[in-house]
């Protein structure tokens, strides 16, 4: 069965960096686009970034553009989110999710359990 | 302020029906398929509806979706206490080159 397992969260000081990982199993990872979505405490879902199935394109939310980088290693079936210059407002549970369907018909069909990132001094 | 607009909350009694609206524009709902997600308390979101009105395997037919122009609606019939959750709509936005979510709707089953 499809499984997505995030790791790498924790407490980090403002201005520092953190890298999240999402280990995928149960499907052909290299055939799917992948998303990062976050949820601040008590708030709604916020899309963070997407990477195309072949890694050819990445898009970012304005709130993280220039600070975060999404990447993938298909040999390890793993998705990454490199987060630099972290701010207090980046505090959230970060979910990875698989994208199904073509762009015009895309949807997030499987989600991980999330990993908590807390940015605090 | 979310690109897609949802009511913050809805409520209804067990066994009744409720609808949740999601309003957008031509750059998102108007030209892309919409999906809905259910987030039970303390858990990760789960896909509920995709391609405007399709249910994934395992989702009961009490849940339905529809779309008209730049708006969409999630319908839930035969409400159960286990349906209490936050519901989000989502789709791609071509103007932003970004995925967009609605602000979420909290369903209370009284």
């Amino acid at each position: 069965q499809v499984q997505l397992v995030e790791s790498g969260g924790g407490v980090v000081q403002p201005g520092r960096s953190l890298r999240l990982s999402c280990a995928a199993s149960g499907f052909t990872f290299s055939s799917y686009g992948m998303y990062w979505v976050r949820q601040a405490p008590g708030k709604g879902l916020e899309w963070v970034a997407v990477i195309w199935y072949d890694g050819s394109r990445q898009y970012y939310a304005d709130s993280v553009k220039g600070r975060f980088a999404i990447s993938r290693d298909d040999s390890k079936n793993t998705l990454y989110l490199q987060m630099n210059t972290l701010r207090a407002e980046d505090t959230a549970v970060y979910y990875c999710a698989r994208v199904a369907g073509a762009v015009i018909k895309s949807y997030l069909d499987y989600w991980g359990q999330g990993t908590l990132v807390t940015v605090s001094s | 302020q979310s690109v897609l607009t949802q009511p913050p909350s809805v409520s209804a009694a067990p066994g009744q029906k409720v609808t949740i609206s999601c309003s957008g524009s031509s750059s998102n709902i108007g030209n892309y398929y919409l999906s809905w997600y259910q987030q039970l308390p303390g858990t990760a979101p789960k896909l509920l509806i995709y391609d405007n009105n399709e249910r994934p395997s395992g989702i009961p037919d009490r849940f339905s979706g529809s779309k008209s122009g730049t708006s969409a609606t999630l319908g839930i019939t035969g409400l159960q206490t286990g349906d209490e959750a936050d519901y989000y709509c989502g789709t791609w936005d071509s103007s932003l080159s970004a995925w967009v979510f609605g602000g979420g709707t909290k369903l209370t089953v009284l």
Side-chain angles (χ1 to χ4, degrees):
Chain A
Q1 72 281 21
V2 173
Q3 273 201 311
L4 299 170
V5 180
E6 302 94 337
S7 62
V11 180
V12 61
Q13 293 179 328
R16 304 298 290 266
S17 298
L18 203 62
R19 189 177 81 159
L20 304 183
S21 300
C22 169
S25 61
F27 65 101
T28 304
F29 181 68
S30 59
S31 296
Y32 288 86
M34 297 294 295
Y35 275 33
W36 285 102
V37 174
R38 69 184 181 183
Q39 186 170 36
K43 302 296 185 181
L45 301 177
E46 179 188 16
W47 171 76
V48 173
V50 58
I51 186 166
W52 252 229
Y53 73 98
D54 59 358
S56 62
R57 297 187 187 184
Q58 303 92 41
Y59 294 100
Y60 299 91
D62 286 345
S63 57
V64 306
K65 202 171 294 182
R67 299 187 300 123
F68 289 12
I70 188 172
S71 63
R72 62 190 301 154
D73 185 338
D74 291 347
S75 69
K76 296 182 178 179
N77 290 342
T78 301
L79 175 73
Y80 301 102
L81 184 68
Q82 177 67 42
M83 304 186 295
N84 300 326
T85 318
L86 283 161
R87 306 167 179 167
E89 54 265 35
D90 296 319
T91 294
V93 174
Y94 285 74
Y95 298 100
C96 63
R98 189 180 84 166
V99 183
V103 173
I104 196 171
K105 300 183 71 174
S106 60
Y107 52 94
L108 284 59
D109 63 347
Y110 287 94
W111 297 63
Q113 85 289 348
T115 187
L116 176 62
V117 173
T118 302
V119 183
S120 173
S121 54
Chain B
Q1 192 160 337
S2 303
V3 172
L4 304 181
T5 302
Q6 297 180 233
S9 63
V10 296
S11 62
Q16 296 299 303
K17 173 183 178 179
V18 71
T19 61
I20 298 173
S21 61
C22 177
S23 177
S25 68
S26 59
S27 65
N28 43 67
I29 297 177
N31 282 287
Y32 291 85
Y33 286 70
L34 189 84
S35 47
W36 289 91
Y37 304 87
Q38 178 193 57
Q39 187 175 32
L40 296 169
T43 70
K46 180 178 79 171
L47 177 66
L48 198 62
I49 296 287
Y50 68 99
D51 289 358
N52 300 330
N53 55 17
E54 299 292 332
R55 288 185 310 277
S57 173
I59 301 298
D61 59 8
R62 299 187 299 106
F63 295 90
S64 64
S66 64
K67 189 186 100 166
S68 178
T70 60
S71 294
T73 301
L74 172 69
I76 311 173
T77 60
L79 278 171
Q80 303 173 1
T81 55
D83 297 331
E84 287 201 332
D86 294 321
Y87 293 83
Y88 296 90
C89 56
T91 189
W92 187 256
D93 188 297
S94 57
S95 293
L96 300 173
S97 291
W99 181 270
V100 290
F101 286 107
T105 299
K106 182 177 182 62
L107 168 63
T108 301
V109 181
L110 303 169

